[in-house]
Amino acid sequence: MKNIPIGEHLIEKGLITAEDLQAVLEAQKEEKNKGKKMGDLIQEMGLVTEKQFAEVLAERLNIKFVDVENIELFPDIVKKIPEDKARKYNCIAIELSTTGRRLTVATDNPSDFYAMEDLRGITGCSISFKMGVGSAITRAIGNFYSKGATDAIVEEAAKQKEEEMSLDDLVAEASNDRIDNAPIVQLATQIVENSFRMDATDIHIEPFKDHTTLRVRVNGDLVPLREPIPASLHTALVTRFKILSGMNIAEKRVPQDGRMTQVIDGRVVDLRVSNLPMVYGEKVVLRILAGDSMVKKIQDLGMTEYNYNRFCECLKVPQGVILVTGPTGSGKSTTLYATLGEIAKPNLNVITVEDPVEKKIANINQCQINDKAGMTFAAALRSILRQDPDIIMVGEMRDEETASIAIRAAITGHLVLSTIHTNDAASTVTRLVDMGVLPYMVATSLIGIIAQRLTKTLCPACKEPVETTPLDMELMEISEPMTIYKRKGCPACNGTGYKGRTAIHEILLTTQEMKALITRGAKADEIQALAREQGCKLLRDNASLLVQQGKTDMDELVRVTYAV
């Protein structure tokens, strides 16, 4: 292995260019980046992924790379290393030799010989390091060490209740921010931490007569976070979340909304909290937001090259409306943020109006809706138009007033980005007309519509090949049989057969022919037919392509595109 700097090694591997390396070296000289490692800076600038950098570094150091997320870990081996040492050195034990004398450890810093010696003394084993991805190791540590801790916390809290601890005492304990070691406080913290490490998007705390259920939404499906907890702990747990999110703990009869943050594995995580009174108590749902993390690029959204080129055509138009449509949780906001990142330049005034502001973005003016104070979408839009904007992002077109103001803003020279709830791109036009916007106004202002869905991707470690059936061929609109893949399930994907999600898109461009069709009040079927003639790939076409590429299966194609 040639002993060359890591930057030059990345160039040799074709991951960055010489110009990229020079840009990184220049960035290192900036005051805000003083003390940052080159590897961290390269990743922050989006030139390589954390996994790519780890693989290259492993090759340069002449050690093996291990993908911690896609191997089976065994609790007995993992816990050979105490939790405090695992977190201190960000390492996790992955393999023990048959003699029990050699322990293989995944770490993101294999050059730390002090850590190696410390672990050798603690475990009594000789230590062999493998290179892993730092964030994946951190998540694995959280998953394995916190499960047992949560059980112990629940037992301790339940024991306190059995020892005649009054309900008022439990609520007081949940309300006291200074008692970090109180069982209820620890339980609330562990619930959020464990959910975040599972890549969950929502946490559901559901009260029933004899127990409280904890479920999380992972890859679009609700799965148990752990065994149910005693119903006696529910009030104190809910109170803790109400305190953290700024709700009124004395009000238990009406729904409330709030917001909180929590630091998990060094990251600040934002959560939107919703509280709803039910028969046996208050149900709490926490939406895990993206926080202040880096905004994704459009290229990272999962668009095919064909759709990406069509999307770029929309962004070239200086004024008009670009709409993103799809059901709740389909990634519409992520697409809008990525679009803003692409078109927001230092010489432009960009203002957003959102409910809520899901991700705070540097150098963009973001406005939060507050219905109680009279700060509605329509009211905010009227004021924004007096703020000399170039680009306006409206979180959602919910009513005729908001839609009309946004479309008039587009006609008067502004670029407007927004979302709307419809099944596909073509029905968005009829939905706007149904809301009360005149057809010629829609035709005049509309640049393009992006319909979007999220589909689960198959776990690469366990997917199985199968031959297409006649029904599969009909659904995918192919004439020749071919090999596709189906899910199986393994430890790497928690037995689901799926690992992660990707987006599929349907992009309708409003050409002159399309504008004429919309103006005369055409139905969705006519609009869709013309869109296909003009090259629009429907959602099912894109889902079919993913199946043929082995990225997803027929079950997902049917689930995601059954109504379109």
Side-chain angles (χ1 to χ4, degrees):
M1 192 72 235
K2 289 186 290 185
N3 188 20
I4 60 174
I6 188 65
E8 292 182 25
H9 197 60
L10 288 166
I11 293 174
E12 280 193 2
K13 303 298 291 184
L15 293 173
I16 65 173
T17 64
E19 291 76 16
D20 291 333
L21 179 58
Q22 188 59 40
V24 174
L25 294 173
E26 290 297 323
Q28 268 190 316
K29 297 175 185 177
E30 297 177 13
E31 188 64 33
K32 65 178 181 180
N33 295 322
K34 287 286 177 67
K36 281 189 180 179
K37 295 179 180 178
M38 177 180 283
D40 294 335
L41 204 53
I42 288 173
Q43 292 167 50
E44 280 182 21
M45 294 171 68
L47 300 174
V48 297
T49 64
E50 191 180 6
K51 184 177 179 181
Q52 287 173 329
F53 186 81
E55 288 173 334
V56 171
L57 187 57
E59 186 178 332
R60 181 174 178 273
L61 296 174
N62 200 25
I63 63 171
K64 291 184 178 178
F65 173 82
V66 59
D67 188 352
V68 174
E69 289 186 318
N70 288 317
I71 62 170
E72 185 173 2
L73 299 174
F74 299 94
D76 292 343
I77 296 176
V78 169
K79 291 182 180 178
K80 279 275 187 184
I81 300 176
E83 181 178 1
D84 61 330
K85 295 296 182 181
R87 292 190 183 279
K88 179 180 179 180
Y89 301 123
N90 200 37
C91 65
I92 190 163
I94 58 174
E95 190 179 331
L96 185 66
S97 66
T98 52
T99 61
R101 295 180 180 177
R102 187 173 189 82
L103 187 66
T104 303
V105 178
T107 177
D108 60 347
N109 187 11
S111 301
D112 190 344
F113 295 107
Y114 176 80
M116 183 180 285
E117 284 302 305
D118 196 11
L119 294 176
R120 184 177 64 82
I122 292 167
T123 62
C125 302
S126 62
I127 303 297
S128 171
F129 276 159
K130 286 188 177 181
M131 187 75 196
V133 177
S135 59
I137 294 170
T138 303
R139 283 194 296 272
I141 291 170
N143 287 336
F144 272 84
Y145 290 99
S146 62
K147 286 178 182 175
T150 305
D151 292 337
I153 291 166
V154 171
E155 286 179 17
E156 186 179 350
K159 184 180 177 183
Q160 284 187 355
K161 180 64 179 171
E162 289 170 7
E163 291 173 352
E164 302 301 323
M165 188 177 189
S166 71
L167 186 61
D168 290 338
D169 291 335
L170 275 172
V171 170
E173 179 183 275
S175 306
N176 194 337
D177 289 303
R178 291 172 295 178
I179 309 178
D180 293 332
N181 294 323
I184 288 296
V185 174
Q186 288 183 312
L187 178 58
T189 301
Q190 288 288 333
I191 286 171
V192 177
E193 285 185 358
N194 293 349
S195 303
F196 177 77
R197 289 167 183 147
M198 289 175 67
D199 292 327
T201 56
D202 300 87
I203 307 167
H204 291 244
I205 301 172
E206 304 166 310
F208 295 100
K209 184 177 181 180
D210 301 316
H211 64 272
T212 292
T213 300
L214 302 176
R215 296 193 294 170
V216 293
R217 190 173 295 281
V218 180
N219 288 339
D221 293 329
L222 277 174
V223 296
L225 175 63
R226 52 157 289 118
E227 295 296 316
I229 64 173
S232 58
L233 302 180
H234 182 79
T235 300
L237 182 60
V238 169
T239 300
R240 177 61 182 168
F241 283 119
K242 288 170 77 171
I243 287 288
L244 290 173
S245 56
M247 296 183 194
N248 180 0
I249 62 172
E251 180 57 76
K252 300 180 181 181
R253 298 166 299 173
V254 296
Q256 296 186 70
D257 293 304
R259 191 162 181 151
M260 58 178 275
T261 61
Q262 185 169 321
V263 179
I264 306 173
D265 301 332
R267 286 184 59 185
V268 177
V269 178
D270 281 337
L271 299 106
R272 189 173 73 225
V273 186
S274 173
N275 179 62
L276 181 66
M278 310 295 284
V279 175
Y280 293 109
E282 298 167 277
K283 175 176 176 176
V284 176
V285 176
L286 299 94
R287 165 65 61 89
I288 300 175
L289 305 174
D292 296 329
S293 58
M294 192 181 301
V295 176
K296 286 188 176 182
K297 296 183 178 180
I298 293 177
Q299 296 92 321
D300 300 329
L301 298 179
M303 282 188 184
T304 62
E305 186 176 355
Y306 180 81
N307 277 338
Y308 176 69
N309 291 333
R310 287 174 68 85
F311 187 61
C312 289
E313 285 183 43
C314 291
L315 301 185
K316 290 176 184 176
V317 183
Q319 62 191 48
V321 177
I322 298 175
L323 292 175
V324 183
T325 182
T328 302
S330 61
K332 299 187 297 296
S333 296
T334 302
T335 299
L336 285 183
Y337 285 133
T339 305
L340 284 180
E342 183 86 2
I343 61 179
K345 305 299 179 188
N347 62 325
L348 297 176
N349 178 21
V350 182
I351 303 180
T352 76
V353 49
E354 307 169 63
D355 184 23
V357 175
E358 294 192 7
K359 184 180 294 188
K360 301 181 183 78
I361 310 173
N363 304 318
I364 288 181
N365 304 288
Q366 295 176 278
C367 173
Q368 169 75 51
I369 290 300
N370 186 343
D371 287 323
K372 291 179 182 177
M375 184 69 159
T376 62
F377 275 109
L381 266 175
R382 288 193 189 94
S383 296
I384 284 172
L385 289 174
R386 293 192 287 272
Q387 291 279 319
D388 185 31
D390 296 296
I391 300 171
I392 303 169
M393 187 186 101
V394 183
E396 183 183 345
M397 286 191 181
R398 295 179 177 175
D399 51 47
E400 178 189 351
E401 189 177 14
T402 305
S404 296
I405 296 171
I407 284 176
R408 290 180 188 280
I411 291 173
T412 54
H414 304 93
L415 180 61
V416 179
L417 311 174
S418 188
T419 70
I420 193 168
H421 290 284
T422 56
N423 283 333
D424 54 28
S427 58
T428 302
V429 175
T430 53
R431 169 70 178 137
L432 286 171
V433 173
D434 183 57
M435 287 170 68
V437 182
L438 296 173
Y440 82 89
M441 294 280 283
V442 176
T444 305
S445 62
L446 200 59
I447 299 171
I449 304 166
I450 299 98
Q452 182 167 315
R453 296 285 191 284
L454 289 179
T455 179
K456 300 172 197 168
T457 52
L458 290 168
C459 173
C462 65
K463 63 181 183 181
E464 293 183 330
V466 292
E467 293 299 314
T468 51
T469 65
L471 179 58
D472 294 338
M473 293 166 61
E474 181 182 343
L475 288 171
M476 290 195 293
E477 297 183 357
I478 57 175
S479 55
E480 296 292 330
M482 63 179 295
T483 301
I484 56 175
Y485 288 85
K486 68 174 184 178
R487 65 189 174 115
K488 181 184 178 184
C490 68
C493 58
N494 295 318
T496 63
Y498 298 112
K499 196 169 180 67
R501 292 188 291 177
T502 189
I504 56 173
H505 304 86
E506 173 180 303
I507 301 180
L508 182 153
L509 303 180
T510 49
T511 60
Q512 291 302 320
E513 296 89 340
M514 184 65 73
K515 289 178 185 290
L517 196 64
I518 294 170
T519 302
R520 66 177 178 83
K523 301 297 182 186
D525 290 347
E526 297 175 77
I527 294 170
Q528 188 175 85
L530 179 60
R532 292 200 80 170
E533 284 178 26
Q534 295 181 340
C536 175
K537 301 286 186 185
L538 302 186
L539 289 169
R540 178 158 289 186
D541 299 331
N542 289 283
S544 174
L545 182 62
L546 288 179
V547 173
Q548 294 174 50
Q549 292 172 344
K551 294 179 180 178
T552 192
D553 60 4
M554 290 302 301
D555 289 343
E556 276 298 283
L557 181 144
V558 172
R559 183 187 70 83
V560 174
T561 67
Y562 76 97
V564 293

